[in-house]
Amino acid sequence: MDHSWKDLALEVIQGKELSDGEALSILQCPDGELLELLNGAYQIRKHYYGNKVKLNMIINTKSGLCPENCGYCSQSIVSKAPIEKYAMVDKDTIIKGAEKAHKLNVGTYCIVASGRGPTNRDVDKVVSAVKEIKENYDMKVCACLGLLKEDQAERLKEAGVDRYNHNINTSENHHEQITTSHTYEDRVNTVEIAKKQGISPCSGVIVGMKESLQDVVDMARSLKVLDADSIPVNFLHAIDGTPLEGTDELDPRYCLKVLCLMRFINPTKEIRISGGREVNLRSLQPLGLYAANSIFVGDYLTTAGQQETADHQMLKDLGFEIDYTNEITAEELV
């Protein structure tokens, strides 16, 4: 870098798009410059979001029983991980999860189900639950049900689903190294179907799956092209019994650099520290929020998170505020 990270951040705020060289230099930032890089990312984050942090919570409404062969996933057909397997839970269970999320000041409640895509019966349950949740709680609802059909997206929108998550997970170039049971284009198409129905698109990545640095840059750029409003950044928590068992490529400092890259390339978007943050960021978790502005609280799909109260204490210690309404947008803060 021939100028400072803070200078580059100010250029990004003014509309600059990073070159590949600049993007790669973030991932290759010397550890001795990491705090300066984080300060640059924080300048962007503060410009668009102040010190507010959005809270999200997941309910795993259907576990395992998935015909896909995604190498990272304990729920896939190729996984031998000893996880709990169950069909779609009932409406009351979904609503009780929303009640818990509401008590924890969660702004977005995420209804997640394993599988290639939802059956119409699955959609019926989600639609019924969402209607009741929206009547009783002032929170956003995100659905993550797999590959989506247009009529299903229309029904979810009518029920009150605010956001639909379908991660690209990795770069187009690396996709076939992770799964061959669906294409990269299948994933992009589902995000576009949600957008077409006026549902806010959420799409993110999993880092640490033997991808190259250029793949990570390509992921960030692809999410910019998709115009994803919310970008979950997962760090691989390799699960025994999955094809990626034993993969351990990440350290906390590199994870922070990835979060900074996402902020520099997608400056106005919600960047969420997601699965694997506890095991990969470890004691550096709080520093991640100088680049990101959103976290999951509680457990993930088949892996445990940290105590919800610990997350709230972390935000308090940082001097950050919980975004209770979760309605504020980057554009409104400019």
Side-chain angles (χ1 to χ4, degrees), residues 1-9 11 16 22 33:
M1 285 288 295
D2 36 348
H3 58 319
S4 73
W5 297 116
K6 186 173 180 180
D7 289 342
L8 184 61
E11 290 179 21
K16 175 186 173 64
E22 289 167 328
E33 294 180 22

Side-chain angles (χ1 to χ4, degrees), residues 12 18 31 35 39 64 89 99 104 107 113 125 146 183 193 203-204 215 228 236 241-242 282 311:
V12 167
L18 267 60
D31 290 343
L35 289 179
N39 182 45
V89 301
E99 180 182 1
L104 289 167
K125 283 188 181 181
T183 66
I193 286 172
S203 190
D215 285 323
L236 181 67
T242 64
R282 299 193 285 277
D311 289 323

Side-chain angles (χ1 to χ4, degrees), residues 32 123 127 290 303 332:
V123 174
V127 163
Y290 286 100
T303 57
E332 290 169 339

Side-chain angles (χ1 to χ4, degrees), residues 45 52-56 230 263 270-274 289 292-296:
R45 180 234 203 275
K52 291 186 178 292
V53 177
K54 299 174 186 292
L55 301 185
N56 305 260
S230 177
R263 176 58 67 201
E270 175 185 341
I271 308 293
R272 185 183 320 136
I273 313 176
S274 300
L289 284 167
N293 65 300
S294 179
I295 57 171
F296 276 116

Side-chain angles (χ1 to χ4, degrees), residues 34-295:
L34 180 55
L35 289 179
E36 296 170 49
L37 174 61
L38 277 167
N39 182 45
Y42 177 63
Q43 300 308 311
I44 303 170
R45 180 234 203 275
K46 182 173 67 172
H47 179 78
Y48 291 107
Y49 291 100
N51 280 333
K52 291 186 178 292
V53 177
K54 299 174 186 292
L55 301 185
N56 305 260
M57 179 175 279
I58 285 176
I59 179 172
N60 192 14
T61 62
K62 182 164 69 171
S63 182
L65 311 173
C66 183
E68 303 297 291
N69 64 0
C70 305
Y72 55 84
C73 186
S74 61
Q75 303 186 73
S76 79
I77 194 168
V78 295
S79 169
K80 296 176 180 156
I83 63 163
E84 189 177 3
K85 298 178 181 179
Y86 50 85
M88 178 70 78
V89 301
D90 59 29
K91 180 177 84 168
D92 289 344
T93 300
I94 299 174
I95 293 170
K96 283 179 184 175
E99 180 182 1
K100 178 181 179 182
H102 176 71
K103 288 177 180 177
L104 289 167
N105 298 313
V106 166
T108 301
Y109 179 55
C110 306
I111 300 171
V112 184
S114 67
R116 180 177 176 84
T119 65
N120 288 331
R121 184 175 293 181
D122 291 340
V123 174
D124 289 343
K125 283 188 181 181
V126 173
V127 163
S128 180
V130 169
K131 286 180 178 177
E132 193 164 330
I133 290 167
K134 298 298 278 190
E135 287 173 4
N136 291 289
Y137 304 111
D138 181 21
M139 66 171 66
K140 285 186 177 180
V141 175
C142 177
C144 177
L145 311 174
L147 300 176
L148 203 60
K149 298 173 184 174
E150 293 205 18
D151 62 314
Q152 294 174 330
E154 184 177 0
R155 292 189 62 207
L156 292 172
K157 174 63 176 178
E158 289 174 355
V161 169
D162 302 283
R163 178 170 285 169
Y164 196 84
N165 167 259
H166 200 59
N167 293 334
I168 60 169
N169 283 332
T170 192
S171 72
E172 183 173 10
N173 177 64
H174 193 58
H175 179 86
E176 289 191 359
Q177 305 304 312
I178 303 304
T179 180
T180 56
S181 53
H182 59 268
T183 66
Y184 180 85
E185 290 74 20
D186 288 333
R187 289 188 166 270
V188 170
N189 186 51
T190 285
V191 177
E192 294 295 350
I193 286 172
K195 287 166 65 176
K196 184 178 177 181
Q197 292 298 329
I199 300 174
S200 172
C202 172
S203 190
V205 299
I206 306 172
V207 177
M209 299 194 295
K210 304 181 180 180
E211 71 279 345
S212 69
L213 297 184
Q214 185 62 53
D215 285 323
V216 179
V217 172
D218 291 346
M219 292 180 218
R221 294 204 190 284
S222 295
L223 293 169
K224 186 177 183 69
V225 171
L226 265 179
D227 199 26
D229 292 330
S230 177
I231 299 175
V233 182
N234 300 276
F235 300 104
L236 181 67
H237 181 180
I239 299 171
D240 290 348
T242 64
L244 285 171
E245 173 183 345
T247 304
D248 184 17
E249 298 186 333
L250 303 175
D251 64 60
R253 300 174 306 285
Y254 177 71
C255 293
L256 290 173
K257 294 166 192 176
V258 170
L259 291 170
C260 289
L261 175 74
M262 291 294 171
R263 176 58 67 201
F264 271 85
I265 289 183
N266 297 279
T268 67
K269 303 302 186 178
E270 175 185 341
I271 308 293
R272 185 183 320 136
I273 313 176
S274 300
R277 70 177 165 99
E278 296 84 359
V279 298
N280 286 294
L281 281 165
R282 299 193 285 277
S283 62
L284 299 191
Q285 281 186 71
L287 290 178
L289 284 167
Y290 286 100
N293 65 300
S294 179
I295 57 171

